[in-house]
Structures are given as C-alpha cells and as structure tokens.
Amino acid sequence: MPRKPVAVLISVRGSNLQALIDAARRADYPAEIVRVIANVPGAGGLARATQAGIATETIDHRKFANRPAFEAALDASIRASGAELVCLAGFMRLLTAGFVDAWRDRLINIHPSLLPKFPGLDTHKRALEAGETHAGCSVHFVRTEMDSGPLLVQAAVPVLPGDDEDRLAARVLQAEHRAYPLALSLVAAGRVRVAGEQALIDGQPGPVRLD
Ligand code: GRF
C-alpha cells in the first residue's frame, strides 16, 4: 500500500515528532513524513527532521499581519509538500476555523491529558491539584474548539506518590511517544472514520486505549 504523506507542525522540542520519525522508519508503517514546519525559528525539532533527511520549513507567525495570513502560508506549504494528513506535535498556535475546516478529519493533535479532562495549558499541575489517580494523553482529530474533537488514542499512566509536575510530565511524555505513532498509523491506514463526532476505528467506537 502506498504510504500516506504527512506534514508535521511543531513549535519547540519535537520529541513527539521524533517518535513519529522513528515509527515511520519501519517499512510497513503506513505514513511517511514529507515535511516538518515550525512556526518558531530554531525550534529543536527542525534539527531532528534534518537529521532524518526530512525537508523542513520555518513559517514565523510573527511575520504575518494576522492569523488567516499565517494560516494561508501554512496551508500552501503543506499542500506544496504533497501531504494529505497534518500532525500537530507541540504546535503552540491556535488554528482558526478556515484552516481547521479545510483539513477536517485529516488534522491530528496530541494533548497531554485524558480529554475531556484538562484542555488547555498546565495540564499536569491541574491533574495533581485535582488529586487525579491517573493522568495521560489524548490523540484526536482537531476541531475549532481548543483540545476537542474525535478521540483516536488515549494512554493513561498512574499518578505516583511524590509526583511533581516534571515527574508526571515525563511519564506522560513516554505514553505520548507510544500513542501518537499508533494514532497516525490508524488514520494513515484508512482504519478510522468519523460518525456523529466519534471516531470509529475498524468500526468500533474510539478511542483505542493504551494503558
Ligand atoms: C507535548 O506534551 C504535547 O502533548 C503538547 O506539547 C508537548 C510537545 O512536546 N501538545 P514535544 O515538542 O513533542 O517534545
């Protein structure tokens, strides 16, 4: 089967990008990363992409008059790369309806909480303060409302005695690195469809749970 071309959008470190790069090295992985785009010049993930021989581009949002102009440049770059799917991996800009709707059910995000709990920032701090016994991550199709959309994969990890934000974040990040490659592979292989705002994976209601 031909591999689905994917663009990955990043802002900073790119450890989830690295997990996708590593997964896509397998000959039987159904997706191929064709371009990595950063909105922050010098984002760490750009070097990871270059190291892997993947084309990169920096589209600095500060150089655009407004969000639609920035998003038009993003869209043009993605389309020029031939990508048919877009993965947000630590991409720290909100995307407006024009972009999100154009890539509906082809735009994937990872968020470091078990959605619908804790959308937004400071997820680990808030999970600790709420006394949660488990934390985790969610991979989902993007909708215009931040950190919402049909859930593809969720991975839970325990909150352990003595956890602080950093320790919990590190444990969740390991789960992220398993969840994102799985979610992308399911979408790229055509195993996901959306019905009534729920992802059906091989016909079964999602998300797939990795615990
Ligand atoms: C991850 O925790 C991801 O869930 C969130 O931003 C972080 C990005 O980390 N959206 P990295 O750049 O992939 O290392």
Side-chain angles (χ1 to χ4, degrees):
M1 204 165 72
R3 308 213 295 162
K4 272 269 183 215
V6 178
V8 183
L9 274 50
I10 61 164
S11 295
V12 206
R13 171 176 64 176
S15 73
N16 278 290
L17 164 67
Q18 189 67 57
L20 296 176
I21 289 172
D22 293 344
R25 284 207 174 95
R26 291 180 45 159
D28 62 352
Y29 194 76
E32 177 189 4
I33 303 170
V34 294
R35 186 173 297 196
V36 171
I37 304 170
N39 69 310
V40 177
L46 290 169
R48 299 177 188 268
T50 303
Q51 177 78 27
I54 299 167
T56 65
E57 186 169 2
T58 300
I59 302 178
D60 184 347
H61 62 276
R62 293 168 305 183
K63 295 197 168 146
F64 294 85
N66 50 42
R67 282 184 196 267
F70 167 63
E71 291 172 2
L74 272 185
D75 187 79
S77 175
I78 295 164
R79 289 183 196 279
S81 76
E84 295 172 22
L85 296 173
V86 180
C87 289
L88 306 180
F91 184 71
M92 305 301 284
R93 299 294 296 169
L94 281 179
L95 294 164
T96 65
F99 185 93
V100 170
D101 292 345
W103 289 93
R104 189 179 176 87
D105 297 342
R106 297 180 300 156
L107 178 61
I108 307 170
N109 181 47
I110 186 158
H111 180 75
S113 80
L114 295 171
L115 291 171
K117 285 186 177 171
F118 311 120
L121 297 175
D122 297 327
T123 53
H124 306 306
K125 180 165 177 275
R126 289 154 63 205
L128 288 169
E129 282 170 1
E132 297 287 324
T133 60
H134 286 80
C137 65
S138 306
V139 188
H140 61 97
F141 281 135
V142 175
R143 297 291 185 260
T144 45
E145 191 186 333
M146 184 178 58
D147 300 323
S148 73
L151 294 167
L152 299 164
V153 175
Q154 287 191 314
V157 300
V159 176
L160 297 178
D163 267 356
D164 57 17
E165 253 183 90
D166 288 347
R167 285 182 54 169
L168 183 57
R171 194 174 308 120
V172 171
L173 196 62
Q174 288 187 352
E176 293 186 42
H177 298 163
R178 292 188 293 129
Y180 214 162
L182 172 62
L184 176 59
S185 75
L186 294 171
V187 175
R191 294 170 60 187
V192 179
R193 73 187 167 87
V194 176
E197 282 303 84
Q198 178 161 47
L200 299 178
I201 296 142
D202 296 330
Q204 300 300 311
V208 171
R209 293 186 197 280
L210 287 177
D211 297 321

